[in-house]
Amino acid sequence: MKNDSGAQKQTIAAKTGVKTMRRELMIDHLKEIFGDTGEKIRVFFAPGRVNFFGGHDDSNGMPALGCALPLGTMAAARLRSDRMIRVCRLNNKEGIREFSLDDDLENGKQDNWFDFFKSIFWIFLQRGCELPCGLDVVMEGDIPPRAGLALSGSLEILTAWILNEMYELDGINARQLAVLAHRAETEYVGMSCSIIDQFVPAMSKAGNAMFLSTTRLSAEHIPMHLQDLELIVTDSRIRHRRDEAENFVRRKECEKALNKLKVVANIHRICDLDTDRFESMKDVIMNDTYTRRAYFLVYEKARTIRAVSALRVNNMKRFGELMSISHASLRDDYEISCHEIDYLVDQAQNMEGVLGSRMTGGGFGGSTISLVRKDAAEAFRETISRNYRERFGLEAEFYTVTPDDGARELL
């Protein structure tokens, strides 16, 4: 049986007029929920992201390569005359959530969307920004939750963009907003993520991948000439909740590997080593698990740099090959995949017309990203949908995406 839901979603995401229509609907929603009088209503959008390479261990200097998605989070906002922040997320049934800018924002962390939203107010106030009045906000999005597409990063950057624009704050650029939003997630919410989750939604450019140095916090746009190719996100619908604990374990394992390597090398991070130097001294680690973790970091950095070179010369065949090699190392060396994701990647890699496939996001579920010839895309979705349903009893969701712009106001 043909699965049309993914094709419908990717078609909707591809239509440029959709955001314009949604803008008007968001304005209507805000008026309906919070009233039809007051200041001017403005509408903003921030995308989600996929990571093609890297994005797993910033502390060890791993670079990352990703792009923004047409999928994202949209919000309508209006200034209030008091100090109250009122927000309604249309995607759920929680109704209106609110707090005062004079509240102790340290309280009430629940690890849900409201805390990601509230964390941005907390970090702006920590920075000393003047937030003179409250806001009414209505938001919605089409990023599936816990699909490895940076829903939290999209929500955080959207909120930061709203504050920066609505309060007319001076001297905060997109890069600084990304840094602040990353701090908000790690320090306020207490979730560990790569800063690519904030940089890509904040700073992306349509038609380009973003090459991010996590040591210099600098981003470079690299054109992606897809032409007869499609980028297809496949959502496994697997939502493992152990990824944060497991990723903490990975960081500790890498820390132990680094401490061993420091005995024989003057380095600050594992990715300070190139592959040759790592191979010459890896035996000092003396632990197979820690060695494999370090191996992944060093070789993923090399793959990321090679992938950037492949994009520069439009060698998409090589780019896809590197994606597939990356997944094998994520599965075997860093061990953050799962059976369902591995099955989707294996199915993709063995299909005609697929140049490469790997997991995307933090791991232990979520989504894959595949580079597919356009003439093979329909067969890709139909075959994988059927086989995945038969193997696991689950319905995969598909999104055909193109590299999109970062956060912006919708005018």
Side-chain angles (χ1 to χ4, degrees):
M1 181 177 69
K2 184 176 178 179
N3 183 352
D4 290 324
S5 61
Q8 291 169 354
K9 289 187 178 182
Q10 60 90 10
T11 301
I12 291 171
K15 291 181 179 178
T16 58
V18 168
K19 289 187 177 63
T20 301
M21 291 188 291
R22 289 308 306 168
R23 177 187 182 277
E24 301 305 317
L25 286 173
M26 293 299 288
I27 291 173
D28 291 341
H29 284 310
L30 190 142
K31 290 178 179 179
E32 179 182 352
I33 294 168
F34 294 118
D36 196 9
T37 60
E39 298 288 332
K40 177 183 176 182
I41 299 172
R42 299 167 67 179
V43 181
F44 302 86
F45 175 81
R49 68 95 191 91
V50 291
N51 57 309
F52 301 114
F53 298 91
H56 300 286
D57 192 336
D58 294 356
S59 64
N60 270 299
M62 178 185 289
L65 184 68
C67 76
L69 302 174
L71 306 172
T73 315
M74 187 180 295
R78 181 176 63 194
L79 294 173
R80 294 175 55 84
S81 59
D82 59 17
R83 301 275 291 168
M84 292 301 298
I85 303 296
R86 301 191 300 175
V87 58
C88 179
R89 190 179 181 200
L90 300 176
N91 301 71
N92 61 34
K93 300 178 181 180
E94 292 184 23
I96 298 172
R97 304 290 298 272
E98 63 180 39
F99 61 92
S100 170
L101 290 170
D102 299 317
D103 288 346
D104 178 5
L105 298 186
E106 294 281 1
N107 295 330
K109 288 182 279 188
Q110 302 292 325
D111 183 23
N112 60 30
W113 74 268
F114 186 56
D115 291 309
F116 292 111
F117 174 78
K118 194 163 57 171
S119 73
I120 301 302
F121 291 85
W122 174 82
I123 198 68
F124 272 59
L125 292 169
Q126 287 277 309
R127 191 180 187 271
C129 296
E130 184 178 352
L131 310 182
C133 62
L135 289 170
D136 288 331
V137 181
V138 172
M139 61 173 53
E140 70 169 5
D142 53 5
I143 303 174
R146 299 191 66 80
L149 304 176
L151 172 57
S152 62
S154 172
L155 193 154
E156 290 155 356
I157 290 300
L158 174 67
T159 307
W161 214 267
I162 291 171
L163 268 58
N164 202 39
E165 296 296 316
M166 298 292 285
Y167 295 129
E168 298 181 352
L169 301 175
D170 294 326
I172 307 181
N173 59 31
R175 176 186 175 279
Q176 291 166 324
L177 288 180
V179 173
L180 286 171
H182 183 257
R183 280 188 56 201
E185 178 154 343
T186 56
E187 296 177 21
Y188 184 84
V189 182
M191 299 288 287
S192 176
C193 68
S194 170
I195 201 168
I196 193 177
D197 289 4
Q198 289 78 28
F199 257 77
V200 165
M203 297 183 63
S204 286
K205 181 179 177 182
N208 289 259
M210 176 184 288
F211 179 43
L212 173 65
S213 167
T214 59
T215 55
R216 298 190 302 272
L217 293 183
S218 61
E220 182 181 359
H221 297 115
I222 313 294
M224 289 195 79
H225 301 289
L226 293 174
Q227 297 167 327
D228 61 343
L229 299 172
E230 290 186 0
L231 289 170
I232 301 180
V233 172
T234 305
D235 181 2
S236 71
R237 311 298 295 277
I238 295 297
R239 304 291 187 257
H240 286 298
R241 303 262 341 155
R242 63 190 181 97
D243 56 339
E244 181 64 19
E246 290 287 352
N247 283 322
F248 176 78
V249 171
R250 296 298 176 278
R251 290 191 295 274
K252 287 297 181 182
E253 291 167 340
C254 291
E255 183 180 312
K256 291 176 180 177
L258 175 61
N259 289 336
K260 291 286 189 178
L261 290 166
K262 281 182 174 179
V263 174
V264 295
N266 182 22
I267 59 174
H268 299 289
R269 296 168 287 268
I270 290 176
C271 287
D272 291 343
L273 297 172
D274 60 25
T275 56
D276 288 341
R277 286 189 71 202
F278 174 75
E279 290 293 341
S280 72
M281 60 184 63
K282 66 182 181 181
D283 290 345
V284 73
I285 300 174
M286 294 187 295
N287 179 288
D288 180 63
T289 298
Y290 304 161
T291 301
R292 284 187 287 110
R293 306 301 188 242
Y295 177 93
F296 168 74
L297 297 181
V298 171
Y299 278 83
E300 184 74 355
K301 176 183 177 181
R303 280 188 292 270
T304 304
I305 294 169
R306 289 171 185 148
V308 170
S309 297
L311 286 183
R312 292 192 195 281
V313 297
N314 197 26
N315 187 346
M316 300 306 291
K317 181 176 182 293
R318 181 56 177 157
F319 187 86
E321 291 170 349
L322 289 165
M323 287 173 61
S324 295
I325 295 169
S326 175
H327 182 79
S329 191
L330 283 162
R331 180 193 65 212
D332 300 333
D333 301 316
Y334 212 56
E335 295 185 286
I336 60 170
S337 189
C338 65
H339 294 308
E340 296 87 351
I341 289 291
D342 292 339
Y343 181 84
L344 288 172
V345 169
D346 184 66
Q347 287 282 301
Q349 291 175 356
N350 284 287
M351 288 186 64
E352 185 176 352
V354 177
L355 277 65
S357 184
R358 78 188 289 275
M359 59 164 280
T360 188
F364 307 106
S367 302
T368 67
I369 180 70
S370 302
L371 187 61
V372 186
R373 286 204 322 260
K374 285 184 178 180
D375 59 9
E378 184 176 359
F380 174 91
R381 286 187 289 267
E382 291 180 353
T383 302
I384 288 184
S385 178
R386 180 182 62 251
N387 292 349
Y388 190 63
R389 186 189 311 116
E390 292 174 355
R391 175 68 176 81
F392 294 103
L394 295 170
E395 293 290 343
E397 293 284 355
F398 302 90
Y399 305 87
T400 298
V401 299
T402 53
D404 202 4
D405 284 317
R408 68 260 192 197
E409 183 172 1
L410 300 179
L411 301 173

